[in-house]
Amino acid sequence: MSHSLHRQGKETSLKNDFVLIALLAKSRSGQSWSEKCQNLEKLANICIRHDPDNYGQSKSVFHAVYTSMDSLEKVLVDLKRAELGISVVVTGCREEIIRMGQRIGLPLNSAHISLGIFGNKKRLPDERILAITTMCGHHCISPFLVEKIVNDLKAGRVKMEHAVERLSGLCTCGIFNRARARGLLDDILSSENTA
Amino acid sequence: MKIDGNKCKNCRQCIPYCPVQAIKDTPKGVCIDQDLCVECGVCYRSRICKSGALAPFSRRYSCKPIPFISRVTGRVLRILAGYTPGMTHLGSPRRIRETFSDPFTTSILTQISGRGTAEIKTNDVTGRYRPGEIGFCIEVGRPGIGATMKEVEQFTVALAQLGVYFEPDNPMTRLIRDTRGHLQKKYHEERVLSAIIECKVNFDDVGNIFELIKRLDRQTDTVFTVGVISTIDLHGETPVLEKIAEYGLCPSTHSKINVGLGIPSSEGDR
């Protein structure tokens, strides 16, 4: 599915948000399924070595979140060198990723471009809340929980680190950008303090 | 999902965890509106209920917490309420709520986990989308509002009229019962967190889809997201961007890019 696409928010907060997804394909590519699984483990090791903000994995998928283009580039250089034969997609600023891909010699294949949200947008929560909830593409993070957490933070009932962990724990894929969430929660708190 | 009234302490802690506000605080205590509940399992997996009152209908879930451990580092990534990824045990038609809402469910329709498919994620291997073809992922109910299957049908019927090719591995496609895009009636009232309609057309026909998106934007009561899929040429260009602008739509600067590290299938899957 397209769960890392359609992340909402201002460009300034999205510019340091990159999601890497590696997925095993059921195909006749010469590798057995067990070879592919071993290669996925190698891929995960490479990705984790570059200090992702968050990551998650299941049998045939690995997800990681990076907070800078520099880290992402280093990961992709290492993955290209490793020649594991596993499909990798990266979500982030399209032009930057394409430029970087061409620079490091990646055979870019295809793009999934977000046209955004349509329909009865009056039903959506506040855009600042939406910027947080859309970091879980399966929408396992309730906007009402984010509102409660903001209130708990304001009242000093919870610390920022615990608040972010609580939200992050609901995103079972591990594509929730914790550093960005911290920044977004800080922004909400500071805007409400000045209001 | 249901709440065991004998165990519930009325602490109300679970209420904000529900993404669709199906957990209600009533004079008789906390209960779940079964019409609104999309069976996403978020409340249960959060382990917010310390008295064990949240009780899933699906037998995939157990009460024992299970640590979700990285196979690479051995680090505990998160603790989940016990679950077994796999087939739903809910009866029909309610089971499709789980298929389209709970990321841990394997669709009984396609045997594929999640509510969509690999779309471009493995396109370098499968060649699902080829030059000259444009894919669309229209996710009805996203982000976080949800939709009934009757609302989703509005989209499938309109797309079928345009003669699109629906992705056969997508669970949504399996619910379409005729060439006019109608869904099986028994599912109409079922509510899901989001349903992804995946289809593709030839490049020359994309304008019709863009016009349809603009029409549905005005007509639907729920929300939907649109993703457009295109191959990238040797110069790093995606020609569909010009078409998008031509029809007055505004692409996000963010995209998902398949960087081409997979090994192309030797025989081709399609």
Side-chain angles (χ1 to χ4, degrees), chain B residues 81-150:
Chain B
Y83 70 94
T84 311
M87 296 297 175
T88 177
H89 289 92
L90 285 171
S92 179
R94 195 172 176 88
R95 70 160 65 113
I96 65 157
R97 294 186 183 227
E98 201 177 38
T99 301
F100 292 97
S101 308
D102 182 339
F104 287 104
T105 308
T106 298
S107 168
I108 208 152
L109 302 161
T110 61
Q111 323 292 312
I112 295 171
S113 65
R115 68 197 79 155
T117 69
E119 28 92 12
I120 71 154
K121 289 199 260 318
T122 54
N123 200 55
D124 46 356
V125 175
T126 63
R128 176 182 288 189
Y129 300 99
R130 297 176 188 278
E133 292 178 337
I134 302 296
F136 285 87
C137 284
I138 300 176
E139 194 164 351
V140 188
R142 184 175 179 186
I145 300 299
T148 62
M149 280 296 161
K150 184 74 182 160

Side-chain angles (χ1 to χ4, degrees), chain A residues 1 28 41 45 57 87 113, chain B residues 71-72 117 121 124 266:
Chain A
M1 75 172 288
R28 305 173 187 92
E41 299 264 357
N45 269 317
Q57 60 190 134
S87 296
I113 302 158
Chain B
R71 284 180 293 128
V72 178
T117 69
K121 289 199 260 318
D124 46 356
S266 53

